């Protein structure tokens, strides 16, 4: 059951850090939460979707007696991340997943 979830890119309560890393890859950020119950490490994962951007620019300039006008159009698709995280995986003191936080749609 664990192998099936890892191969499907899913995690579950009780997974080790290594299992999470194989299933989801490297976390986009790691942070620590401290509460009255203790300290937890949290791995944050963002959605990895291509982003497309489009821009138009116009420039006019002059140097001495010469002047120039230029127009540019750019289109790009990058491998950047969206600004929001899709998931947080919380590890307890033993290094096992104690909670999984999913972003609501």
């Amino acid at each position: 059951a664990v192998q099936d979830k890892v191969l499907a890119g899913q995690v579950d309560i009780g997974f080790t850090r290594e299992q999470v890393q194989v299933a989801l890859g490297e976390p986009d950020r790691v942070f620590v939460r401290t509460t009255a119950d203790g300290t937890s490490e949290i791995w944050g994962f963002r959605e990895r979707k291509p982003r497309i951007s489009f821009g138009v620019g116009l420039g006019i300039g002059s140097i001495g007696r010469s002047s120039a006008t230029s127009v540019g159009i750019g289109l790009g698709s990058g491998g950047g991340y969206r600004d929001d995280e899709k998931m947080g995986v919380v590890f307890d003191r033993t290094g096992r997943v104690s909670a999984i936080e999913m972003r609501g749609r």
Side-chain angles (χ1 to χ4, degrees):
V2 169
Q3 286 180 338
D4 290 341
K5 284 198 174 213
V6 168
L7 290 173
Q10 300 172 348
V11 295
D12 207 348
I13 303 298
F15 275 28
T16 65
R17 285 181 175 89
E18 292 78 18
Q19 290 167 328
V20 172
Q21 193 170 19
V22 171
L24 301 177
E26 291 290 328
D28 295 301
R29 71 177 179 144
V30 177
F31 56 102
V32 176
R33 176 188 300 153
T34 302
T35 67
D37 296 328
T39 301
S40 303
E41 182 175 278
I42 302 168
W43 289 6
F45 295 91
R46 293 183 176 169
E47 291 201 55
R48 290 171 171 79
K49 292 184 177 180
R51 292 191 308 178
I52 297 175
S53 60
F54 180 79
V56 176
L58 172 64
I60 301 173
S62 65
I63 298 176
R65 294 185 176 175
S66 301
S67 64
T69 303
S70 64
V71 176
I73 297 176
L75 175 66
S77 62
Y81 299 127
R82 292 178 59 189
D83 291 335
D84 58 328
E85 289 179 316
K86 68 174 182 173
M87 175 187 294
V89 179
V90 182
F91 294 95
D92 63 17
R93 284 171 271 167
T94 68
R96 297 216 174 244
V97 175
S98 61
I100 301 166
E101 302 169 347
M102 302 290 289
R103 183 176 187 89
R105 298 274 171 210

